[in-house]
Amino acid sequence: MQSCIDVNLSNSQLKNLAQMAKDWIIMHGAGMRSKNNFNEDQIQIVPFLLLPSCYPRKEFESAKEVQILLNELMHNVAHDYDFLTNTLKNTIEVDTFTSKLFNIYQLVHSEGFIQPISLGLIRSDYLLHKDIGNKIKQVEVNMIASSFGGLAPIISEYHKFILTELGYKDKVKNIPENNATLGLSNGLIEAWKMYNNKKAIILFIVEDITYNILDQRAIEFKIYDLNSEIKIIRRSLTELIMQARLGSDKELFVDDIEVAVIYYRSGYQLEAYPSENEWNVRLLLERSRAIKCPSIQYHLAGTKKIQQELSIPGVLEKFISDSNKIIKIRQIFMGIYALDFNEDGEKAIAMGLKNSHNYVLKPQREGGGNNIYNDKIKDQLEVMKHSKDRTAWILMERIYPPILKNYLIHTGNNDLKIQEFNSELGVYGVVMGYKSRIIHNTQVGHILRTKLSSANEGGIIFGFGALDSPYIV
Ligand code: ADP
Ligand code: MG
Ligand code: MG
C-alpha cells in the first residue's frame, strides 16, 4: 500500500510545509517533554506524520464497533474471582509485579470491596494483518494509563488542516471525528458524580517525572471546562506515602481533602514502586472508598496472561452470552499460547523455536519495549525452556501490517524524506459499573500510532514512533 494522498512537492516546498506543520502542532498543544534534554518548562513537538495514513473503512468501523463489546468483556472478566485466580496462578509464582498486584487484589477481595463501582478508560490496539487481506487483529487491551487520548484529537485536526493546505479540502471528510479527550474526561466526570460528594476531588496518580504531560493536562483542563465544580490534584505514589490516609468510613484523604476518583497514569510498571512504601500506598488506595480508574480487578483483567486465556476457544463464552457478540470479538483475536509445563506448552515452545518469525514473545509488562522478536525468540526460549520463568511469558502469533509511505516529523529532523511505516490503531472505550451491572459503556475516539516499518515497536516517548490519524479509504 502506498500513501493514498499524492503530494508532488519540491524540497523547498516540503521544508516550508513541514515548518508550518510543526508550528501548527506547537500552537495546538501536541507536545511532550524531552527525555534526553529534560526540563520541566520545556515542551517539544510530539513526533507526528506529515500526512494522515490510509486506513480501510470497514476495518476502522469494526474496531470502533467492537469496543463496547470489549468494554463489557473486560468488565465481566474483572469481576470473576475464580477466573482471575486460576488464570494468574502460575504467572504470580514467577512474576513479581503481577504477584504484588494480585496480593492486593486478594486482600481487598477478602475484606470486601468498599467501593463497588469500577471505572475503566480503556484503549484496545490493533494492527491490520496483511496475510488475511488487511483485517484488524488485536495487539492488546490497555486497562491502565491508556495514553494519547488527550493528544489524539489535535492530530486529527492537524491532518484536516494539512489536507486543506495541500488543496485537498474535499478529502477532509475522510478524517473521522475524534473526541477522545472529551469522552475520557466525561468518563472521569461521570465517576465523580457517582461518588456524590461535591467537595471531593479527582486524584491523578502520576510518575515523579511526566514526559507525556500535555496528554494528561488535556484531560485535566477539559474536565475543568466541562465542570468547574471539580478540582483535580496530581500526586506520585511516592508523594502519597506521607500525604494519603483513610478516614473512619474508608474515605481517601490527601492533605485532608477527600478523593472521589483515582485516575492512575502511573503504577503499571515495577519502576513506579521503588520501595515497599509505594506498594503500601497502592493497597491503601485500593482499600479506599474512592472510585478507581482502574480498580485492581480491572488492572489485572488487562494483563497479557488474561488476554492469552481469553483467546482459547470456549473461554469468551463464560463472559458474553450473545453468540453474535462472541463472533465479533473472536474475529479480532490472534492465536496466543501459554508456555506452561504441559503438552500444549511444549507444543508452543516447539513452534516458537521452529518459526520464530511467526510469533512475538511477550512478558507480563506494559509500556512498550519489552517484547522479543525474530531469532531472539529462539535464544530466549532456549534460556528459559527448563525454568519456571517461562510461565510468565506468552507466545503470540505475529501480525504483519501493511507498509505505507509518509514523512516523519520530529524535533531536530530537518532532513524530510519519504520512508516506510506501519500503523497501530487504538480505540478508546469508557466503561463503568457495579459487579453485575454496567452503567456506562461507550466508545469515545481513536489514535493512530505509526512507526518505521523497520522497527519492531514504536515507543513515542522513546522516539521510535509517532502520532498519526487515519484517513479512511
Ligand atoms: P505493551 O503493553 O508493552 O504496549 P504490546 O502488546 O502492545 O505491549 O506490544 C508492544 C508493541 O509490540 C506493539 O505496539 C506492536 O508494535 C508490537 N507487537 C505486539 N504484539 C504484536 C504482534 N502479535 N504482532 C506484531 N507486532 C506486535
Ligand atoms: Mg499495554
Ligand atoms: Mg501496547
Side-chain angles (χ1 to χ4, degrees):
M1 227 194 269
Q2 291 271 334
S3 172
C4 45
I5 300 144
D6 268 333
V7 282
N8 238 333
L9 300 168
S10 69
N11 277 346
S12 71
Q13 281 172 319
L14 197 57
K15 212 169 153 195
N16 288 337
L17 193 69
Q19 190 56 53
M20 183 198 247
K22 282 189 193 181
D23 293 341
W24 194 100
I25 286 289
I26 290 170
M27 262 189 79
H28 294 81
M32 64 201 335
R33 288 175 176 149
S34 162
K35 198 138 198 161
N36 301 327
N37 294 307
F38 178 76
N39 172 343
E40 67 182 8
D41 297 335
Q42 251 171 42
I43 291 292
Q44 62 182 36
I45 53 163
V46 71
F48 67 101
L49 276 300
L50 179 71
L51 305 170
S53 294
C54 312
Y55 209 90
R57 179 178 301 279
K58 190 158 167 279
E59 298 311 304
F60 181 74
E61 283 169 0
S62 298
K64 289 269 178 159
E65 269 171 35
V66 81
Q67 187 57 45
I68 56 168
L69 307 184
L70 293 173
N71 291 346
E72 180 186 346
L73 172 67
M74 298 316 286
H75 180 89
N76 292 344
V77 166
H79 289 95
D80 188 328
Y81 177 79
D82 291 339
F83 181 75
L84 289 185
T85 307
N86 291 330
T87 306
L88 296 173
K89 193 172 62 208
N90 291 339
T91 309
I92 60 177
E93 276 184 36
V94 283
D95 187 78
T96 318
F97 184 65
T98 313
S99 130
K100 288 274 201 189
L101 292 177
F102 190 80
N103 288 344
I104 291 175
Y105 169 62
Q106 241 184 353
L107 200 60
V108 184
H109 179 269
S110 67
E111 292 170 355
F113 293 103
I114 297 289
Q115 174 53 255
I117 297 173
S118 292
L119 171 68
L121 302 184
I122 297 179
R123 197 190 68 219
S124 177
D125 293 332
Y126 306 89
L127 290 169
L128 294 168
H129 195 19
K130 241 179 359 190
D131 296 3
I132 51 166
N134 292 331
K135 297 256 180 310
I136 48 160
K137 286 289 175 182
Q138 186 182 51
V139 174
E140 63 153 350
V141 47
N142 294 290
M143 295 295 289
I144 180 165
S146 309
S147 56
F148 298 119
L151 302 182
I154 304 175
I155 305 296
S156 294
E157 286 308 307
Y158 158 71
H159 281 137
K160 290 184 191 170
F161 164 78
I162 206 75
L163 286 179
T164 311
E165 201 50 45
L166 285 164
Y168 294 132
K169 205 169 171 30
D170 56 317
K171 295 191 186 226
V172 165
K173 62 178 187 302
N174 299 324
I175 306 285
E177 277 310 299
N178 193 357
N179 296 316
T181 314
L182 177 67
L184 297 174
S185 304
N186 270 330
L188 289 162
I189 293 174
E190 286 303 308
W192 179 82
K193 286 184 183 156
M194 285 305 292
Y195 192 81
N196 201 20
N197 175 353
K198 289 208 163 162
K199 290 199 189 108
I201 60 167
I202 300 180
L203 167 66
F204 282 28
I205 305 287
V206 298
E207 290 155 296
D208 293 313
I209 296 176
T210 304
Y211 297 104
N212 198 11
I213 182 74
L214 298 192
D215 183 40
Q216 298 177 10
R217 290 288 190 197
I219 293 174
E220 181 178 341
F221 298 163
K222 178 63 82 182
I223 292 173
Y224 288 147
D225 280 349
L226 294 166
N227 190 326
S228 56
E229 288 177 318
I230 302 177
K231 184 175 159 45
I232 294 167
I233 61 170
R234 300 166 52 85
R235 294 288 188 279
S236 71
L237 289 170
T238 306
E239 286 173 315
L240 290 174
I241 296 169
M242 301 301 290
Q243 297 174 0
R245 66 174 176 87
L246 294 187
S248 57
D249 209 16
K250 296 276 165 67
E251 313 92 319
L252 174 65
F253 289 103
V254 174
D255 296 340
D256 294 327
I257 308 168
E258 188 170 346
V259 174
V261 181
I262 302 168
Y263 175 37
Y264 290 100
R265 289 298 300 251
S266 173
Y268 55 89
Q269 285 173 318
L270 201 53
E271 296 71 35
Y273 306 83
S275 75
E276 207 48 35
N277 294 328
E278 282 81 5
W279 282 110
N280 290 335
V281 167
R282 179 75 192 261
L283 175 60
L284 182 121
L285 299 178
E286 296 302 326
R287 274 178 162 156
S288 79
R289 183 171 294 285
I291 297 176
K292 275 109 359 213
C293 174
S295 59
I296 190 77
Q297 61 270 35
Y298 266 27
H299 187 173
L300 285 172
T303 53
K304 299 198 165 60
K305 179 63 198 172
I306 297 286
Q307 184 191 5
Q308 176 265 312
E309 187 73 18
L310 289 173
S311 77
I312 298 174
V315 175
L316 274 182
E317 283 75 356
K318 288 188 196 169
F319 304 104
I320 303 283
S321 49
D322 181 333
S323 59
N324 285 325
K325 289 184 182 177
I326 292 173
I327 292 169
K328 283 192 177 143
I329 298 174
R330 173 144 298 287
Q331 268 172 0
I332 63 170
F333 285 175
M334 290 301 272
I336 311 180
Y337 308 98
L339 303 181
D340 293 334
F341 284 95
N342 56 25
E343 206 180 312
D344 287 345
E346 298 308 328
K347 246 204 253 165
I349 298 259
M351 294 185 316
L353 287 171
K354 190 162 170 239
N355 292 317
S356 312
H357 290 73
N358 293 343
Y359 299 96
V360 178
L361 188 59
K362 300 189 179 186
Q364 302 304 309
R365 290 283 168 273
E366 294 293 334
N370 302 300
N371 300 339
I372 295 185
Y373 302 86
N374 302 327
D375 287 343
K376 293 213 173 96
I377 293 181
K378 282 186 197 159
D379 303 341
Q380 181 67 27
L381 287 177
E382 288 293 354
V383 167
M384 64 184 185
K385 209 161 63 176
H386 303 294
S387 150
K388 258 186 146 183
D389 290 348
R390 75 186 221 189
T391 56
W393 296 70
I394 57 163
L395 188 72
M396 179 171 184
E397 288 175 336
R398 184 156 181 176
I399 314 164
Y400 279 100
I403 289 174
L404 296 156
K405 301 212 164 140
N406 208 328
Y407 299 91
L408 173 65
I409 301 188
H410 59 85
T411 294
N413 175 20
N414 295 318
D415 176 28
L416 268 194
K417 54 177 187 290
I418 200 146
Q419 285 178 292
E420 297 192 330
F421 298 92
N422 53 50
S423 300
E424 183 169 329
L425 175 69
V427 175
Y428 297 98
V430 177
V431 60
M432 181 165 68
Y434 301 89
K435 179 175 179 175
S436 48
R437 188 162 58 94
I438 293 175
I439 52 181
H440 183 115
N441 181 357
T442 46
Q443 174 279 114
V444 298
H446 58 273
I447 180 74
L448 206 61
R449 289 171 304 146
T450 293
K451 64 171 177 60
L452 283 168
S453 63
S454 55
N456 289 319
E457 291 188 32
I460 284 152
I461 310 269
F462 298 97
F464 307 125
L467 296 189
D468 193 359
S469 54
Y471 177 95
I472 302 302
V473 290

